[in-house]
Amino acid sequence: MKMMEEKLKIDKISKGTVIDHIDAGYALTILSLTGLDESKNLITIGVNVSSKKYQTKDIIKIENVFLNETQMQQISILSPNASISLIENYKVIEKKKVKIPKIIKKLILCVNQTCISNSDEPINSEFLVLEEKPLKIQCVYCERIYKLEEIVFTSKEKKEKIVKQRIQL
Amino acid sequence: MKMMEEKLKIDKISKGTVIDHIDAGYALTILSLTGLDESKNLITIGVNVSSKKYQTKDIIKIENVFLNETQMQQISILSPNASISLIENYKVIEKKKVKIPKIIKKLILCVNQTCISNSDEPINSEFLVLEEKPLKIQCVYCERIYKLEEIVFTSKEKKEKIVKQRIQL
């Protein structure tokens, strides 16, 4: 009975994408990083939802939206166990796990100022994935190693978006 | 029938707070600004939900959490029409509208570098609310006027919190 109630907390959508088994506490970061937070479509989000598999998890359901390859990669970095379901007529028509690439290109910034990826030459950042969970990546140019919480993401789309509110950290 | 289905998209909580009638698109900013995004409690969020009163709105339900005065004021600045319901045993035990104060103290930063509120002396920022919606506020010291999208919020709590992920804007 308890499971039933918990399941009901976020209802079905007719068409769109469900991102499930997000690491607890990462849904809002994923929405911001992927730019999905700018959508005018209905989004329902569960944060710290009880989960049989992982104790707690986050979940995002977004109507009428399907993810592109960049967004899938961004999610895989933040939540390597996430699963993506495509929904049509309230039914799952496709289900896939995100897959963290062996080399992450362009999505992450190397904060080492002397790294060649930060020079004036147009070299895209590139990181080798050493470990998936907990994440450990290494810049292929300067060999600096980063853990998940040290990562600074780049976001081309965000540059052009109107920043609605700034919060002074 | 359609209304029924829409209502069901976010289910009831047994105890906690419901923030309803948030201006569409502002729920995630509110979560971040109030620090509620750091909670380990269950949070369900609806973004761009259909609303009889305002066409679309956002809604936040957070279990076992009640808001303090600062959080209520932060919400009133971002969404002057928001309503707050306190829930016990699945029932609303108290309902209140947020009320934007006539003078907003400490919560907002005056970005005018020559303003006395930015001097080394310990003077708290203070803004007079000229108009509520659309918001127009004026720094009581340097008299600079700000619209909602120009506001930079201060956030004492955020300074100490671990910033999980940074996104380069």
Side-chain angles (χ1 to χ4, degrees):
Chain A
M1 189 55 201
K2 193 148 186 296
M3 279 310 294
M4 265 291 277
E5 276 173 21
E6 277 159 5
K7 263 189 184 302
L8 277 174
K9 289 232 161 77
I10 295 185
D11 220 60
K12 286 189 172 183
I13 56 169
S14 62
K15 180 189 170 185
T17 302
V18 177
I19 313 168
D20 200 357
H21 300 110
I22 298 167
D23 287 8
Y26 277 92
L28 305 183
T29 310
I30 284 174
L31 284 167
S32 171
L33 182 61
T34 54
L36 292 171
D37 60 343
E38 293 294 292
S39 168
K40 295 292 174 211
N41 290 288
L42 176 67
I43 311 173
T44 47
I45 307 144
V47 175
N48 302 315
V49 179
S50 297
S51 160
K52 267 185 289 188
K53 220 169 171 179
Y54 304 107
Q55 287 195 321
T56 54
K57 63 170 185 180
D58 289 2
I59 183 167
I60 298 169
K61 301 193 180 192
I62 178 161
E63 274 192 353
N64 303 319
V65 169
F66 299 100
L67 305 177
N68 62 34
E69 201 42 54
T70 302
Q71 290 168 324
M72 297 274 287
Q73 278 197 24
Q74 289 168 324
I75 295 167
S76 78
I77 298 166
L78 291 170
S79 279
N81 298 319
S83 64
I84 314 282
S85 300
L86 310 185
I87 313 289
E88 290 271 12
N89 293 320
Y90 294 99
K91 288 203 182 77
V92 177
I93 55 158
E94 200 185 330
K95 196 165 185 165
K96 37 192 173 185
K97 298 282 280 178
V98 295
K99 180 88 195 89
I100 196 162
K102 289 207 170 64
I103 291 177
I104 302 166
K105 291 178 186 174
K106 294 189 194 178
L107 297 179
I108 293 167
L109 207 73
C110 183
V111 294
N112 173 8
Q113 285 306 312
T114 61
C115 175
I116 194 167
S117 68
N118 290 317
S119 70
D120 290 339
E121 288 170 71
I123 296 172
N124 287 319
S125 76
E126 227 169 276
F127 291 85
L128 187 67
V129 176
L130 302 176
E131 278 167 38
E132 288 196 11
K133 197 163 186 171
L135 189 71
K136 207 159 115 186
I137 61 169
Q138 182 172 36
C139 176
V140 299
Y141 300 110
C142 72
E143 300 190 334
R144 183 159 167 170
I145 289 172
Y146 294 84
K147 286 186 276 186
L148 180 58
E149 59 273 21
E150 296 165 339
I151 287 177
V152 176
F153 287 94
T154 56
S155 177
K156 270 191 192 164
E157 286 143 48
K158 294 269 164 168
K159 269 184 198 159
E160 285 147 43
K161 99 176 192 182
I162 300 149
V163 178
K164 228 185 240 156
Q165 234 58 56
R166 285 183 294 158
I167 301 163
Q168 187 82 357
L169 293 178
Chain B
M1 189 57 202
K2 195 150 185 293
M3 280 309 295
M4 266 290 278
E5 275 173 21
E6 278 160 6
K7 263 187 184 300
L8 277 173
K9 289 231 161 78
I10 296 184
D11 220 59
K12 286 188 171 184
I13 55 169
S14 62
K15 181 189 168 186
T17 302
V18 177
I19 313 169
D20 201 356
H21 300 111
I22 297 167
D23 287 9
Y26 277 92
L28 304 181
T29 310
I30 284 174
L31 285 166
S32 172
L33 181 61
T34 54
L36 292 171
D37 60 344
E38 293 293 292
S39 168
K40 296 293 175 210
N41 290 288
L42 175 67
I43 311 173
T44 46
I45 307 144
V47 176
N48 302 316
V49 179
S50 298
S51 159
K52 267 186 288 187
K53 219 169 170 180
Y54 305 106
Q55 287 196 320
T56 55
K57 63 171 185 180
D58 288 2
I59 182 166
I60 298 169
K61 302 194 179 193
I62 179 161
E63 273 193 353
N64 303 318
V65 169
F66 299 100
L67 305 177
N68 61 35
E69 200 42 54
T70 302
Q71 291 168 323
M72 297 273 287
Q73 278 196 25
Q74 289 169 324
I75 295 166
S76 78
I77 297 166
L78 291 170
S79 279
N81 298 320
S83 64
I84 315 284
S85 300
L86 310 185
I87 313 291
E88 291 271 12
N89 293 319
Y90 294 98
K91 288 202 182 77
V92 177
I93 56 158
E94 199 185 332
K95 196 165 186 163
K96 37 192 173 186
K97 296 283 280 179
V98 296
K99 181 88 195 88
I100 197 162
K102 290 210 168 63
I103 292 178
I104 301 166
K105 291 178 187 175
K106 294 188 194 179
L107 298 179
I108 293 167
L109 206 73
C110 183
V111 294
N112 173 8
Q113 286 305 314
T114 60
C115 176
I116 194 167
S117 68
N118 289 318
S119 70
D120 290 338
E121 287 170 71
I123 296 172
N124 287 320
S125 75
E126 227 168 276
F127 291 85
L128 187 67
V129 177
L130 301 176
E131 278 167 40
E132 290 195 10
K133 196 160 186 173
L135 189 70
K136 209 161 114 185
I137 60 170
Q138 183 172 36
C139 176
V140 298
Y141 300 112
C142 73
E143 301 191 329
R144 183 158 166 171
I145 289 172
Y146 295 84
K147 287 187 275 187
L148 180 58
E149 60 273 20
E150 295 165 338
I151 288 177
V152 176
F153 287 93
T154 57
S155 178
K156 270 190 192 164
E157 286 143 48
K158 294 271 165 168
K159 270 183 198 162
E160 285 147 42
K161 95 174 196 186
I162 301 149
V163 177
K164 225 184 243 156
Q165 233 57 58
R166 284 183 296 157
I167 300 162
Q168 187 82 355
L169 293 179

